[in-house]
Amino acid sequence: QVQVVQSGGGSVHPGGSLRLSCVASGFTLDYYAIGWFRQAPGKEREGVACITSNGDTYYADSLKGRFTISRDNAKNTVYLQMDNLQPQDTAVYYCATTYYGLRSLATAVYDYWGQGAQVTVSS
């Protein structure tokens, strides 16, 4: 069965860091692009970062420099390192994969989604 399982959410103070993990089972991530998305209360789901099947990375402009996406194909895992977290980063974070392996932060193109992880940043 195809599954995408997330871990690594939690609560931090402003300026803190978290690393989210996303592990795929039932398929290999080698030829997929992986995106990270987030949805804050009352807001639309937005793209955070994407890493293509070739390893190229892309970020939402507002997050570039604080968040880092990476992948370890041998472990079938993708990571999102989040540094200098701020209260506005509070959201449910989702990882997702797209068979097309292309650069995209459009929600509609992603095929398999993780269950979501709550990230809360507060004083």
Side-chain angles (χ1 to χ4, degrees):
Q1 183 178 350
V2 173
Q3 292 184 334
V4 181
V5 180
Q6 298 179 224
S7 62
S11 298
V12 297
H13 296 303
S17 297
L18 287 171
R19 189 175 76 161
L20 305 180
S21 298
C22 187
V23 181
S25 63
F27 70 107
T28 178
L29 288 176
D30 291 27
Y31 304 109
Y32 288 74
I34 301 100
W36 285 96
F37 302 81
R38 68 184 185 182
Q39 188 165 19
K43 299 182 68 176
E44 296 291 320
R45 188 172 299 180
E46 64 174 335
V48 172
C50 174
I51 185 165
T52 72
S53 58
N54 292 325
D56 297 324
T57 59
Y58 302 89
Y59 300 89
D61 288 342
S62 62
L63 302 176
K64 189 175 183 179
R66 295 195 297 121
F67 288 16
T68 304
I69 189 171
S70 62
R71 64 191 298 163
D72 186 340
N73 287 345
K75 297 180 179 179
N76 225 27
T77 301
V78 64
Y79 305 96
L80 183 68
Q81 178 68 40
M82 303 182 291
D83 297 320
N84 193 24
L85 285 162
Q86 300 299 311
Q88 61 264 34
D89 297 317
T90 295
V92 177
Y93 284 72
Y94 299 89
C95 65
T97 69
T98 173
Y99 174 78
Y100 303 103
L102 301 174
R103 171 179 62 89
S104 178
L105 292 178
T107 301
V109 308
Y110 285 82
D111 304 300
Y112 306 118
W113 290 79
Q115 79 277 15
Q118 178 69 49
V119 172
T120 302
V121 186
S122 62
S123 300

